[in-house]
Amino acid sequence: MAMDQARSTISKIFNGEPRSYTRFNLTQNMEGDNSQVEMKLSSDMEEEAEGNGVGEHMNHHPRPSYVSKSSQRSPRNICFMGIAILLLFIIGYLVGYLAHRKADKTYPSCAEDLAPDDGEDMAPIETVPSLDWSDITAMFKSKLTTDSIEKSLSDFSSDSHQAGSPGDEALANKLMGRFKSYGMNPWTDEHFVRVQDRPTSGTNKVTFQNKTYAESGFLSYSATGSAQGAALYAYYGQVEDLRRLQDLRINMSGRVLLVRAGKITPAEKVANAASVNAGAVLIYPDPADYSFERDTDLFGHVHLGCGDPYTPAFPSFNHTQFPPAKSSGLPAIPAQTIRASTAAAIMKGLGGDSPRGWGDGGLRDVVYKLGSESDLIAVEVNNVLTEKKIHNVFGVIKGFIDADRYVVIGAQRDAWGPGYARSTVGTSLLVELARTFSEMVNNGFKPKRSVVFASWSAGEYGAVGATEWLEGYLSSLNMKAFSYISLDGVVTGSSFKASASPLLYDLIQNTLKEVSSPTDANKSLYSEAGSNWEVSVMEPMKMSDPAYPFQAFSGIPSVSFRFTSDKEYPFFGTVLDTKRNLDSKVFNLRVLTKTAGEIAGQMALQLVHDHLLRLNVEKYTNTIRSKVAQINKEIISLQSSGRVPKTLRMQWLMSALGSYSRASRNLNTNIQNSDLDDYEQCRIINNRIMGVERDLLSPYVCPLESPFRHILLGSGSHTLGALRAHLAAIKDGSSADTDLLRNQFALATWNIQSCADALAGSVWDTDNEI
């Protein structure tokens, strides 16, 4: 430092122009352009006034030096010059020494709150006090209390808050007030979405043996109209269930399938039925799976996707000119929920054989039979398509270094009825986490990155509010939102489960080690999970998962978790999802809710506190390798039997896998050899890490037709799962479509290879073996 100041002093004298200290300005804008750091010198101020002067991020451009012709100097002049230089060096050294001693008292950390450029003389740089990680976690746990959680549970409990209703809007306003009271500047995101509701007059109907049953429950986005056909009991309506019926030589074309609720979503049941040309689907809650009265109505949706299906891949803003478009996930056949009592009446009248293993239901005095061709049943669906105005509500705690990078914590706000487990618990936790983080900031915690708290509406229709937000801001979210944490349905039992991007597995593991078990404070959740924690805790992320659109549509590493039980919580999709019923299924709800809050909060804290993002890019190597190995096994088997030509080779896909593996290892090596106190170096590494999930979205398919473009976790013919399914179909007897196979191999190969090239960092580090 002393030498630098000496050089500065000498430079002023010999260059003849004053030079100010370098001044940095971090522009913090959550929705605008990427934050940039401007380097401004006083001699550049006039140029900046003319041209805006926004420089590249931390890009140091050396000033050009101008060399004059050397003049003749006498020995006497040279002697005086040498003495002057010596005196200046001594003076500069003394000045630098005194300044260095002063700086020792308030040495700035690498996490600095950089002063804005206000056009005045340079203000001293404010330093950010560094808190120890143990201090941060202790502060967090002390401020997140069961008493405060219980108060929020009471405040945000509501009997009626269906999406777009006055009750939903009242909760949104209450959230806005809470966020303001925490010192935030909250905002709302308004969307006009089209949803399908029950008939405004009359009901949907099912007619069997000249008796008509009026049903108050409904399935949004069903095809409307009437359908008639022979009834056929199809168990849970899973792919394997329908395959079994095919093995029994049963023609399902035009049949009305009677299926039990559970196992898979209603949308998947209807899609499976449509794939075998069924005429309609009836879904009922069997008492063996659902412990409530037989006259309870079921609600849900059958859109095989997320968001507003009438604005696929683009947002439902009021100013959008809606084209006549529909999501490819909308069903073409009617679907309706029926009460268990209605299902019992129908089942008693069915003929046909009794299916082996399918008679384990709980309908009293009923013998489960498949049904015969003469058991005609009619279905009439009169749902009404309506437009609703919904509001997403946001609050933010801005980071002190990378304010333009943020983790999003979100929760669904709406429900069919009280929705206590579905939405009240998650919304209350969202509010409590916002309060806790705000109080921590007021007590000295300085997060490096930002935390966005989001309350979504229209979640019951298929994550509509969240997906519309993603569609509206996808281009700006790609390199800003680096993680999403879902709080939906977090407490319905006592067993911990999670689904997440492989990038977040290490983060989840570290969090489980730091959070105590809700049943034994002396044990961590990690120790309860056992030695193979991934097998006991982690589950695949399904389309019904609230974090799925963030992961598979937007390429944002996401996690959803829950305390659950072996049997599915029976009150989702009913008006019986109340506090009383949740208490009957969960012991010590307050403690479990606090533990869930600690898990979400600790994950968020690690993501916004550490220099480097806790996203392990090497985890995807194992995921890709496993899928490629399965595909390779199928190819070898089919080629040996002559079903697939030997000209179809695996080497290019394996080469792409090798490229990704090397790129991820090299990144970890670079991290180990880097100065992690260097702000710019950390930001460069974090950019490479953040790009991985986004780069696994296939650029070769149209979001309008295949919105979930993730080749590992998405859906569509472009995914590795679809490639394997194609090979399995060939093995089962289907003819090989060689051109389609080659296309699937090519798209998967180049998708993985391009992800590896981007992860490598610089263009000269890319692997061009392919």
Side-chain angles (χ1 to χ4, degrees):
M1 183 180 292
M3 293 298 296
D4 290 340
Q5 294 187 357
R7 292 192 191 102
S8 178
T9 305
I10 295 171
S11 177
K12 289 181 182 178
I13 294 175
F14 283 93
N15 290 340
E17 60 177 348
R19 303 185 68 165
S20 69
Y21 295 100
T22 304
R23 180 188 218 169
F24 298 96
N25 174 35
L26 181 63
T27 305
Q28 299 179 348
N29 185 348
M30 295 297 295
E31 296 297 337
D33 296 330
N34 288 342
S35 293
Q36 295 177 327
V37 176
E38 302 177 9
M39 192 172 94
K40 302 174 182 177
L41 301 178
S42 60
S43 59
D44 296 326
M45 290 301 181
E46 292 180 2
E47 296 176 9
E48 184 178 279
E50 296 175 3
N52 215 7
V54 177
E56 292 294 322
H57 174 68
M58 294 292 282
N59 192 12
H60 299 263
H61 297 288
R63 289 172 173 255
S65 57
Y66 300 94
V67 183
S68 61
K69 295 181 181 181
S70 58
S71 59
Q72 297 295 327
R73 294 184 176 90
S74 65
R76 181 179 178 182
N77 291 338
I78 293 174
C79 181
F80 282 131
M81 186 178 295
I83 294 171
I85 291 173
L86 181 60
L87 289 172
L88 289 172
F89 179 83
I90 294 172
I91 293 170
Y93 180 83
L94 292 174
V95 171
Y97 175 76
L98 294 174
H100 180 70
R101 288 194 62 186
K102 182 179 180 181
D104 283 343
K105 297 178 182 178
T106 57
Y107 191 77
S109 68
C110 61
E112 295 178 345
D113 185 11
L114 303 176
D117 180 16
D118 53 11
E120 300 176 1
D121 292 338
M122 178 181 171
I125 295 177
E126 178 187 351
T127 62
V128 176
S130 177
L131 291 177
D132 185 88
W133 175 248
S134 60
D135 296 332
I136 293 172
T137 55
M139 185 192 303
F140 170 69
K141 291 180 180 180
S142 68
K143 293 185 178 298
L144 185 70
T145 65
T146 54
D147 289 341
S148 61
I149 289 173
E150 187 169 37
K151 184 178 185 305
S152 288
L153 286 170
S154 176
D155 291 343
F156 287 91
S157 178
S158 172
D159 289 336
S160 177
H161 48 111
Q162 193 172 338
S165 68
D168 179 32
E169 189 171 347
L171 286 180
N173 291 331
K174 188 178 291 187
L175 275 162
M176 287 282 288
R178 285 291 186 94
F179 287 163
K180 287 179 181 178
S181 69
Y182 302 152
M184 300 179 182
N185 293 315
W187 71 97
T188 62
D189 200 35
E190 187 177 86
H191 294 276
F192 291 80
V193 299
R194 279 182 276 188
V195 301
Q196 206 183 67
D197 280 336
R198 73 179 87 194
T200 52
S201 62
T203 60
N204 295 331
K205 301 174 182 178
V206 175
T207 303
F208 179 67
Q209 293 182 344
N210 298 320
K211 186 173 182 180
T212 299
Y213 302 89
E215 300 294 330
S216 300
F218 76 103
L219 292 168
S220 188
Y221 303 124
S222 163
T224 56
S226 301
Q228 180 173 308
L232 176 63
Y233 176 53
Y235 206 34
Y236 288 98
Q238 301 175 101
V239 172
E240 54 267 32
D241 300 332
L242 303 186
R243 188 178 293 124
R244 181 180 177 186
L245 292 174
Q246 289 175 327
D247 294 339
L248 295 173
R249 307 297 181 187
I250 295 176
N251 182 10
M252 288 176 275
S253 181
R255 303 286 291 265
V256 176
L257 301 190
L258 179 63
V259 300
R260 293 161 64 162
K263 303 290 187 182
I264 57 176
T265 65
E268 292 171 299
K269 295 176 190 290
V270 176
N272 293 341
S275 69
V276 295
N277 298 316
V281 180
L282 298 176
I283 302 175
Y284 78 96
D286 197 285
D289 305 310
Y290 294 87
S291 55
F292 46 63
E293 295 297 324
R294 302 201 319 165
D295 288 330
T296 301
D297 294 312
L298 279 184
F299 303 87
H301 75 90
V302 288
H303 174 214
L304 193 65
C306 303
D308 183 348
Y310 296 96
T311 59
F314 58 91
S316 300
F317 289 131
N318 193 30
H319 59 267
T320 303
Q321 299 299 309
F322 297 113
K326 290 184 179 181
S327 166
S328 58
L330 282 174
I333 60 176
Q336 175 64 33
T337 58
I338 60 175
R339 304 181 185 100
S341 58
T342 304
I346 294 172
M347 193 74 75
K348 286 179 181 179
L350 294 183
D353 299 326
S354 297
R356 181 177 298 176
W358 288 7
D360 59 345
L363 294 174
R364 293 194 301 269
D365 304 322
V366 170
V367 177
Y368 287 73
K369 294 183 179 181
L370 292 177
S372 65
E373 293 283 353
S374 61
D375 296 324
L376 295 181
I377 189 168
V379 180
E380 182 182 334
V381 176
N382 301 307
N383 295 343
V384 178
L385 188 65
T386 60
E387 184 176 87
K388 292 187 177 184
K389 181 172 69 172
I390 62 171
H391 294 90
N392 297 323
V393 181
F394 302 89
V396 62
I397 293 177
K398 291 187 178 181
F400 286 76
I401 297 297
D402 283 334
D404 62 329
R405 307 297 172 88
Y406 41 92
V407 57
V408 181
I409 305 176
Q412 172 184 326
R413 189 177 66 250
D414 67 294
W416 296 118
Y420 199 84
R422 173 71 77 186
S423 63
T424 302
V425 173
T427 300
S428 300
L429 266 186
L430 182 75
V431 169
E432 285 304 302
L433 288 173
R435 177 192 60 79
T436 301
F437 276 49
S438 299
E439 291 181 2
M440 290 176 65
V441 170
N442 292 336
N443 282 271
F445 172 54
K446 307 290 185 182
K448 293 180 176 65
R449 304 170 194 92
S450 300
V451 184
V452 174
F453 301 93
S455 173
W456 315 113
S457 185
E460 293 285 26
Y461 294 92
V464 171
T467 304
E468 296 307 307
W469 182 69
L470 292 172
E471 291 174 346
Y473 303 101
L474 182 61
S475 57
S476 61
L477 290 173
N478 267 339
M479 287 301 291
K480 292 185 177 181
F482 54 82
S483 287
Y484 177 69
I485 301 171
S486 171
L487 299 177
D488 292 345
V490 289
V491 180
T492 57
S494 57
S495 177
F496 182 77
K497 298 290 181 181
S499 54
S501 161
L503 295 177
L504 294 171
Y505 276 31
D506 284 1
L507 174 69
I508 295 170
Q509 181 181 18
N510 291 335
T511 301
L512 294 182
K513 290 179 179 179
E514 295 196 24
V515 176
S516 298
S517 165
T519 57
D520 186 354
N522 296 319
K523 294 176 63 177
S524 68
L525 286 172
Y526 180 78
S527 62
E528 279 193 345
S531 56
N532 197 347
W533 76 275
E534 286 189 21
V535 173
S536 61
V537 168
M538 301 307 300
E539 297 176 331
M541 185 176 289
K542 301 177 182 178
M543 191 177 292
S544 57
D545 195 297
Y548 187 80
F550 290 84
Q551 182 78 41
F553 173 75
S554 299
I556 299 172
S558 306
V559 55
S560 63
F561 65 92
R562 57 212 161 273
F563 286 98
T564 185
S565 58
D566 295 335
K567 294 193 69 173
E568 187 176 349
Y569 182 67
F571 304 112
F572 284 149
T574 73
V575 295
L576 300 178
D577 183 11
T578 62
K579 182 180 187 302
R580 180 178 179 181
N581 283 329
L582 182 59
D583 282 333
S584 70
K585 297 293 181 181
V586 176
F587 176 73
N588 208 341
L589 177 63
R590 292 199 320 166
V591 174
L592 278 167
T593 305
K594 182 178 185 296
T595 304
E598 288 184 8
I599 293 169
Q602 296 253 110
M603 284 193 290
L605 286 173
Q606 291 178 72
L607 289 169
V608 301
H609 172 265
D610 297 341
H611 292 278
L612 288 181
L613 293 174
R614 285 183 176 257
L615 305 176
N616 187 354
V617 298
E618 285 195 279
K619 278 291 183 179
Y620 260 127
T621 301
N622 295 333
T623 304
I624 299 172
R625 181 182 291 116
S626 174
K627 293 186 179 296
V628 170
Q630 293 169 354
I631 292 170
N632 185 51
K633 183 179 178 180
E634 296 286 353
I635 285 289
I636 293 173
S637 174
L638 291 171
Q639 287 180 337
S640 63
S641 62
R643 303 295 304 276
V644 170
K646 293 188 180 295
T647 53
L648 190 65
R649 299 178 181 177
M650 284 289 298
Q651 72 177 93
W652 306 122
L653 186 56
M654 289 182 169
S655 178
L657 166 63
S659 295
Y660 182 87
S661 178
R662 286 188 294 276
S664 61
R665 287 199 309 268
N666 289 341
L667 177 61
N668 281 340
T669 300
N670 290 344
I671 291 173
Q672 294 172 5
N673 297 330
S674 297
D675 178 10
L676 299 185
D677 288 330
D678 185 333
Y679 159 75
E680 176 63 11
Q681 183 68 29
C682 287
R683 190 172 175 95
I684 291 172
I685 294 174
N686 285 336
N687 284 346
R688 292 166 64 183
I689 293 173
M690 289 171 60
V692 170
E693 204 79 68
R694 182 198 65 232
D695 293 332
L696 288 173
L697 300 180
S698 175
Y700 308 111
V701 294
C702 173
L704 185 66
E705 298 297 327
S706 299
F708 307 116
R709 295 179 293 140
H710 202 290
I711 65 166
L712 299 173
L713 304 173
S715 63
S717 63
H718 61 283
T719 64
L720 292 182
L723 174 55
R724 189 186 175 201
H726 188 178
L727 295 172
I730 296 172
K731 190 174 183 179
D732 290 339
S734 300
S735 58
D737 188 336
T738 305
D739 289 340
L740 176 59
L741 272 178
R742 290 183 184 278
N743 191 57
Q744 287 179 309
F745 269 103
L747 298 188
T749 297
W750 284 111
N751 204 159
I752 296 172
Q753 182 64 41
S754 62
C755 180
D757 291 344
L759 183 59
S762 303
V763 67
W764 49 84
D765 291 329
T766 58
D767 183 351
N768 60 357
E769 287 185 5
I770 291 183

